[in-house]
Amino acid sequence: MIVFSLSSNDSSSSLAMPKDNPTLDLFCDEAVSDVVSLDSNIPNYESDEESRVLSLLESELDQTQGKEQSLLLGQLHKKTCFRTAREEAINWMLKVHAYYKFSPETAYLSANYLDRFLLSHTLPQGKAWPMQLLSVACLALAAKMEEACVPLLLDLQLIDPKFVFKPKTVQRMELLVMASLKWRLRVITPFDFIRLFISKFSCSASPFGDLNQIMSRVSDVIIRTCTVMDFLEYPPSTIAAAAMVWVTDQYVDDQKSGFIHKNISREMVQKCYNLMKQNVQHVPKKPESLPPSPACVLDHATMALNSKATSPDLK
């Protein structure tokens, strides 16, 4: 190892100051104002955040608007058999999601793919296997979009599946789903807004005291809304805002709920919040059995299945 040592008493050092240039120093001649501007180069985080929210809202509008979608949703609402089959399919996907501890985004995307496919396709009535095959394909696609490690297609088909399909069959269904979605697999979700809302949320005013815990509980609420078809009428930003209000025990019109952007309709948030109160069980404020991680979503429900045979949400 070569060690360089600079000593003021060592006149033979090769790095000693030259004697013929006593005025030499190591400072640059540039003025400070030429190096950095104290005004122009400081990033405006509030402006960047505002631009981000506006961009998300614009993209959200593009993916949710359309009279045909509203008409189809109205028709699907009237079909009781379809609502039941859809609920069973999503509940099965959420069980597998909890088993593998997938991210919350994976659960939401799998339900999103399934709903968007059903809006443009009619499955054969009286047969259960098409919906099961669609569920496997949608869950597999969502996992490939969000997860670093994706199980094999056969390994995804667990927890009492009604049918088990060969990998080639699932892959053909994946291609059909992607073509029906026009290969638009990356969509705006409530989680895109939740991260921005939490950045504005004052944790000091919360009895929970931990932003990670709030994120985990809000994610759990959002995933539970996937099973209720009525939430399809609300855009992701509205669902995200209502879930934040629900978890933090605030009011939509409260001044403290300043995380709700001015371009998000508070009237819609209030309606979505009321729907949550009717259909979503309130997440415990201090969950003792849940590990402190967003990936723990629905683990509590899985634990309940192991200890109790009955569970209305994940039957």
Side-chain angles (χ1 to χ4, degrees):
M1 178 181 294
I2 301 176
V3 179
F4 291 96
S5 176
L6 296 178
S7 175
S8 58
N9 298 325
D10 188 2
S11 59
S12 63
S13 173
S14 61
L15 297 180
M17 191 72 68
K19 296 181 179 180
D20 57 347
N21 191 5
T23 61
L24 180 65
D25 60 43
L26 300 179
F27 291 99
C28 301
D29 294 332
E30 292 88 354
V32 176
S33 59
D34 295 335
V35 178
V36 62
S37 173
L38 299 180
D39 297 326
S40 60
N41 289 340
I42 297 179
N44 190 338
Y45 294 106
E46 293 185 0
S47 178
D48 293 342
E49 187 175 275
E50 177 71 10
S51 299
R52 174 63 175 162
V53 174
L54 292 177
S55 176
L56 286 174
L57 290 173
E58 183 178 356
S59 299
E60 173 189 74
L61 183 61
D62 291 338
Q63 74 180 34
T64 57
Q65 66 182 358
K67 294 183 179 179
E68 294 183 358
Q69 178 174 335
S70 300
L71 292 175
L72 287 172
L73 282 175
Q75 295 175 2
L76 295 178
H77 273 297
K78 299 177 182 178
K79 298 181 180 180
T80 305
C81 59
F82 172 83
R83 293 170 64 96
T84 303
R86 175 190 176 276
E87 183 176 353
E88 291 177 354
I90 293 181
N91 278 331
W92 176 82
M93 290 192 296
L94 293 184
K95 290 179 185 179
V96 179
H97 167 273
Y99 177 85
Y100 283 110
K101 293 182 171 63
F102 287 155
S103 67
E105 289 85 351
T106 300
Y108 187 88
L109 281 181
S110 62
N112 177 273
Y113 297 162
L114 183 139
D115 287 328
R116 289 165 59 196
F117 182 88
L118 293 176
L119 286 175
S120 58
H121 290 75
T122 301
L123 298 181
Q125 297 183 358
K127 298 180 180 180
W129 67 264
M131 182 67 82
Q132 178 68 34
L133 177 58
L134 176 61
S135 303
V136 177
C138 291
L139 180 59
L141 288 174
K144 292 172 183 177
M145 290 294 295
E146 295 293 335
E147 305 300 330
C149 182
V150 181
L152 298 176
L153 292 176
L154 283 176
D155 293 336
L156 278 178
Q157 303 179 67
L158 43 75
I159 310 184
D160 299 327
K162 296 180 180 179
F163 305 90
V164 177
F165 304 96
K166 295 180 179 180
K168 289 185 178 180
T169 304
V170 179
Q171 289 171 352
R172 288 196 296 267
M173 190 64 191
E174 286 179 320
L175 289 174
L176 178 59
V177 171
M178 288 188 289
S180 300
L181 303 183
K182 299 180 180 180
W183 300 87
R184 189 174 182 178
L185 302 183
R186 180 64 62 190
V187 297
I188 303 300
T189 72
F191 301 103
D192 295 315
F193 292 95
I194 286 300
R195 296 182 182 91
L196 295 174
F197 292 164
I198 286 184
S199 66
K200 290 186 176 182
F201 184 71
S202 175
C203 190
S204 60
S206 169
F208 316 114
D210 185 0
L211 292 180
N212 289 329
Q213 190 178 31
I214 294 176
M215 179 67 182
S216 178
R217 296 178 62 232
V218 171
S219 299
D220 199 351
V221 171
I222 292 173
I223 290 179
R224 295 184 189 194
T225 63
C226 294
T227 60
V228 182
M229 193 170 175
D230 294 333
F231 284 101
L232 293 177
E233 300 179 2
Y234 298 95
S237 59
T238 300
I239 295 176
M244 279 289 295
V245 173
W246 172 255
V247 166
T248 56
D249 293 324
Q250 299 188 56
Y251 296 97
V252 176
D253 295 331
D254 194 343
Q255 295 297 328
K256 294 182 180 179
S257 58
F259 57 84
I260 302 179
H261 193 269
K262 60 183 180 181
N263 289 358
I264 299 177
S265 172
R266 288 181 179 259
E267 181 181 356
M268 291 288 289
V269 174
Q270 183 65 57
K271 291 181 180 179
C272 186
Y273 171 79
N274 293 338
L275 187 62
M276 285 182 181
K277 291 177 62 177
Q278 297 172 6
N279 296 276
V280 179
Q281 183 180 1
H282 204 296
V283 184
K285 290 185 177 181
K286 296 181 179 180
E288 299 178 355
S289 59
L290 289 177
S293 168
C296 70
V297 176
L298 293 182
D299 282 354
H300 183 66
T302 305
M303 296 175 189
L305 278 178
N306 296 333
S307 59
K308 299 181 180 179
T310 59
S311 177
D313 294 332
L314 299 174
K315 187 175 180 181

